Amino acid sequence: MTPSVSARPGRLADLSRSVDRERSSQAGQRKLRQILAGARGAFLDLGYEGASVDEIVRRAGVSKGTLYNYFADKRTLFSAVVDEECREMSQRLFTVETDCACLETSLLTIARSFVRFMVSPFAQGMYRVAVAESGRIPEVGRAFYSAGPQLCTARIATFLIEARARGLLVLEDANLAACQFTALCRAELFPKVLFGILEQPSEAEIERVAEAAVQVFLAAHRPASGRATAGGN
């Protein structure tokens, strides 16, 4: 029950600390995972507008009160679902060491993971939800962009800046270069899966797109001295 406006400040602080303790406890973390899993399935199956809070708590097996202890509203919950998955994907992208001697190998590892993620049911489903809803509910599109594409681009830009500092790349705008790299990774397979032309690409198809993305990117940004010997960075 929400405390009344007349509640003493000390009492409100006690309630706030109690909620914080619940969130950070092992049981609280399990509840959080339940809520995110329930919301994930509801958003993918029903879209943002169709996924009511009642449906989310039913799938999660928690009460509305519990959900609102963790998330202020549905938009915040949607953002958290996207953020969780994209952060996990980002960790997979950057399992390579950024000081790897071979830049091409590092970029290829990143490209493979990125292409594989972009054709996954989750990425495809959330992309459809964000595009479908952002015209009517701009906050949904903004939440998706900040938790997904913006986060990934920032991580790749950081990687590229480090490579530039070591003399392995020539580029003026690292953020734009990161956007260009991810755009190359979305070539062919991403739209084919999005529009139902291809159900699930094979690993060979993913490898082909990833390799092509890296080669085109390096052709544009590798130092002139490195282009003559494309295999050695």
Side-chain angles (χ1 to χ4, degrees):
M1 182 176 178
T2 304
S4 65
V5 175
S6 61
R8 291 183 295 106
R11 174 59 177 160
L12 291 176
D14 289 343
L15 287 171
S16 178
R17 284 193 291 269
S18 176
V19 169
D20 288 342
R21 284 195 297 271
E22 179 185 343
R23 288 175 177 171
S24 60
S25 69
Q26 194 170 21
Q29 288 300 305
R30 283 198 299 270
K31 279 283 195 314
L32 176 61
R33 305 304 304 174
Q34 284 178 245
I35 294 168
L36 289 172
R40 185 183 194 273
F43 286 135
L44 288 174
D45 293 345
L46 305 170
Y48 181 84
E49 193 67 17
S52 66
V53 173
D54 286 335
E55 177 62 18
I56 291 170
V57 298
R58 185 189 70 79
R59 293 187 182 216
V62 300
S63 68
K64 278 188 180 181
T66 297
L67 185 147
Y68 287 124
N69 275 343
Y70 290 84
F71 300 100
D73 50 37
K74 191 167 73 167
R75 184 197 63 78
T76 307
L77 177 54
F78 176 80
S79 181
V81 170
V82 177
D83 182 77
E84 179 196 38
E85 192 75 20
C86 289
R87 286 188 186 280
E88 288 181 7
M89 184 272 289
S90 182
Q91 290 302 317
R92 292 194 296 271
L93 283 180
F94 291 91
T95 54
V96 295
E97 293 293 334
T98 56
D99 62 351
C100 176
C102 184
L103 174 66
E104 186 171 341
T105 298
S106 298
L107 285 173
L108 186 55
T109 300
I110 294 171
R112 283 193 198 104
S113 295
F114 187 82
V115 175
R116 194 175 290 117
F117 176 76
M118 290 307 298
V119 298
S120 70
F122 175 84
Q124 291 276 319
M126 296 306 273
Y127 181 85
R128 290 189 181 99
V129 169
V131 171
E133 305 289 357
S134 59
R136 295 182 300 110
I137 313 172
E139 293 82 2
V140 172
R142 295 188 192 111
F144 174 81
Y145 182 77
S146 63
Q150 189 174 50
L151 171 67
C152 184
T153 298
R155 291 294 304 272
I156 293 175
T158 299
F159 177 87
L160 298 180
I161 289 169
E162 292 174 358
R164 179 179 63 187
R166 286 156 43 221
L168 300 177
L169 290 174
V170 176
L171 48 90
E172 293 183 7
D173 188 330
N175 189 69
L176 178 59
C179 290
Q180 291 169 337
F181 182 74
T182 58
L184 289 168
C185 291
R186 289 194 298 271
E188 187 179 4
L189 298 182
F190 177 75
K192 281 186 174 180
V193 175
L194 184 67
F195 296 116
I197 296 167
L198 185 64
E199 184 174 347
Q200 184 58 48
S202 66
E203 282 299 310
E205 290 172 311
I206 290 171
E207 183 73 13
R208 182 172 63 86
V209 170
E211 287 182 355
V214 171
Q215 292 306 314
V216 171
F217 184 82
L218 287 177
H221 295 290
R222 196 197 300 266
S225 59
R227 291 174 188 167
T229 57
N233 295 318

